[in-house]
Amino acid sequence: MDKHYIESKGLHLNYSIILDMIEKGSNVLDLGCGSGTLLKMFKDKGIKARGIDIEQKNIVQCLQKGLSVFQGDIDEGLNDYPSQSYDYVVLNQTLQSTEKPDYVIKEMLRVGKKIVVSFPNFAYWRVRFYLLIKGKMPKSNILPFEWYNTPNIHLLTIKDFYEFAKNNNFRIEKKICSNKAKIKQGLFFSLFDNFFCEEVIFLCSSNN
C-alpha cells in the first residue's frame, strides 16, 4: 500500500509500514483489530487475514465490511489456534493496553512464524521532558489520556522490549522508528532510538 495513499486517507503510518512487511498471500492473524481498518487493507492486498477483538461494536463493523473476525480476549491466550498456524501475528498499538503483555507476546510467537508488534515509546524525549517540567503523566497525540482514564496500563520503552526479547529468547529481525508520522532512519536514530523515537514497530520471530 503506497504511503501517500495512507496519508491521503488520514490513516496512521503504521498501516503502511506493516503492509510493506507482509507478503501477498501470507496468512495473518490481527489481534485487537478494532473496526477492521488494517484488516481490510490486508484483504485488499491479497493477504489472508483474520481478526480478533473484544469489543462487540468492532466485531459488527468488521462483519459489515465482509471481514473474517472473531470476538475474544487476547489476554486469555490463543488456545483455539495451533502452533505455527499463521505466517504472521500482528499486534498494532495494543500491547500497552493488554493486561498480560508478556503472555500475549509468548502466545503470538507460538501461533505465528513471525510477529509484528508496535507501540508508543515511553522513553521518547518529549515524554521525558513533559515529566521533568510538569511533573505529571505525559499527554501527547499518541498518549492523549489522563492518568485515571487511560487504557494504557503497561507502558514500555524500546529498551524494555529489547531486554524482554533477550530474556525470553526471541529474535528481533527488524525495527522501524517513526516521529510525527515520518519514518526515521540512519545511524543516529539507530544509536539513540530509545531517546528520539516516538513510535516503534518490531518484526520478530522465535529462536526455538
Side-chain angles (χ1 to χ4, degrees), residues 12-23 28 30 38 42 45 47 88 90-93 116-118 176 201-203:
H12 201 286
L13 177 65
N14 280 11
Y15 295 142
S16 176
I17 296 172
I18 293 171
L19 283 169
D20 286 343
M21 283 183 170
I22 298 175
E23 304 84 7
V28 174
D30 183 9
L38 182 58
F42 284 143
K45 185 179 175 179
I47 294 169
Y88 294 87
V90 175
L91 187 68
N92 182 34
Q93 293 294 312
V116 178
V117 180
S118 73
I176 297 179
I201 300 177
F202 285 105
L203 176 66

Side-chain angles (χ1 to χ4, degrees), residues 103-125:
Y103 180 55
V104 170
I105 292 176
K106 289 173 184 177
E107 279 289 87
M108 292 174 68
L109 288 164
R110 179 184 66 80
V111 172
K113 297 171 185 175
K114 294 185 179 182
I115 70 170
V116 178
V117 180
S118 73
F119 55 87
N121 175 32
F122 202 64
Y124 180 49
W125 73 268

Side-chain angles (χ1 to χ4, degrees), residues 78-79 95 143 154 165 187 190 202:
L78 302 171
N79 295 327
L95 178 64
L143 297 168
H154 285 110
L187 180 61
S190 294
F202 285 105

Side-chain angles (χ1 to χ4, degrees), residues 90-151:
V90 175
L91 187 68
N92 182 34
Q93 293 294 312
T94 305
L95 178 64
Q96 70 278 2
S97 62
T98 59
E99 293 184 4
K100 297 180 282 188
D102 54 340
Y103 180 55
V104 170
I105 292 176
K106 289 173 184 177
E107 279 289 87
M108 292 174 68
L109 288 164
R110 179 184 66 80
V111 172
K113 297 171 185 175
K114 294 185 179 182
I115 70 170
V116 178
V117 180
S118 73
F119 55 87
N121 175 32
F122 202 64
Y124 180 49
W125 73 268
R126 289 184 182 274
V127 174
R128 301 187 193 204
F129 189 75
Y130 194 106
L131 277 168
L132 177 65
I133 299 302
K134 295 194 174 185
K136 296 166 58 178
M137 283 298 289
K139 289 176 65 178
S140 65
N141 289 335
I142 60 172
L143 297 168
F145 305 97
E146 299 290 350
W147 66 269
Y148 52 82
N149 64 7
T150 179

Side-chain angles (χ1 to χ4, degrees), residues 23-35:
E23 304 84 7
K24 181 178 179 180
S26 297
N27 196 17
V28 174
L29 185 62
D30 183 9
L31 306 183
C33 63
S35 61

